């Protein structure tokens, strides 16, 4: 009977530990789900940029100023080597290629480069963007 109690206590302990471990969130998984401040900033800029480009009622000068501001912010992040993840490179490429109208061919070429980097890391949507940004570069450079 004493062995039965020990076995029951041991099995109960295993069940309790198993349930407790399944309820505890593991740190790497939790960190993987959190978005970096750079990712958040780039996504917000792309969303604002898309909203402005689709809205015909916005003053063209305000659009131009906003595009230049987004480009400056993206360039600052790029120059600090903070744009490393494929999704971040894709978002930055969207900003750069859209800024091409305001800033010229160089922004489109940088957008192409960023999209190629993201595509090489497996980011599927970047493949099309790499081609589109290069096309815009060719158009703007004559």
């Amino acid at each position: 009977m004493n062995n039965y109690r020990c076995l029951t206590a041991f099995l109960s302990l295993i069940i309790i530990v198993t349930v407790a471990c399944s309820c505890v969130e593991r740190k790497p998984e939790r960190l993987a789900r959190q978005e970096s401040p750079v990712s958040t900033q780039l996504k917000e800029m792309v969303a604002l940029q898309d909203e402005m480009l689709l809205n015909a009622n916005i003053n063209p000068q305000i659009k131009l100023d906003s595009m230049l501001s987004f480009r400056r912010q993206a360039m600052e992040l790029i120059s600090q080597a903070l744009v490393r993840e494929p999704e971040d490179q894709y978002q930055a490429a969207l900003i750069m290629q859209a800024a091409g109208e305001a800033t010229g061919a160089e922004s489109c070429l940088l957008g192409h480069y960023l999209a190629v980097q993201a595509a090489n890391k497996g980011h599927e949507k970047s493949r099309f963007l790499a081609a589109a940004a290069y096309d815009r570069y060719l158009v703007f450079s004559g």
Side-chain angles (χ1 to χ4, degrees):
M1 190 69 169
N2 198 14
N3 286 340
Y4 178 74
R5 283 186 184 163
C6 287
L7 182 59
T8 304
F10 180 71
L11 290 174
S12 297
L13 182 62
I14 289 177
I15 291 170
I16 291 170
V17 169
T18 303
V19 169
C21 287
S22 68
C23 292
V24 174
E25 190 172 9
R26 292 180 178 84
K27 189 174 183 179
E29 293 168 359
R30 187 179 69 233
L31 291 176
R33 281 185 264 142
Q34 290 179 345
E35 196 170 79
S36 75
V38 171
S39 296
T40 302
Q41 183 179 0
L42 288 168
K43 285 181 182 178
E44 287 174 358
M45 285 191 292
V46 168
L48 287 170
Q49 172 180 280
D50 290 346
E51 191 176 302
M52 293 185 82
L53 290 173
L54 293 173
N55 189 343
N57 296 328
I58 295 179
N59 182 315
Q61 186 60 45
I62 293 174
K63 282 185 184 181
L64 175 65
D65 293 344
S66 297
M67 293 298 163
L68 292 173
S69 174
F70 296 152
R71 181 185 179 276
R72 274 193 302 276
Q73 291 175 53
M75 285 296 293
E76 187 174 320
L77 294 171
I78 293 165
S79 69
Q80 294 174 6
L82 296 173
V83 180
R84 295 184 294 256
E85 297 300 317
E87 181 65 23
D88 294 347
Q89 291 170 331
Y90 173 74
Q91 298 291 332
L94 285 170
I95 292 167
M96 298 311 291
Q97 66 90 30
E101 284 185 34
T103 60
E106 294 78 20
S107 289
C108 294
L109 188 59
L110 181 56
H112 164 73
Y113 172 76
L114 290 164
V116 167
Q117 293 297 314
N120 287 340
K121 294 177 183 177
H123 194 275
E124 286 297 316
K125 291 189 278 185
S126 293
R127 295 170 63 200
F128 174 79
L129 182 57
Y134 190 68
D135 182 60
R136 288 182 71 121
Y137 164 72
L138 293 174
V139 168
F140 287 129
S141 62

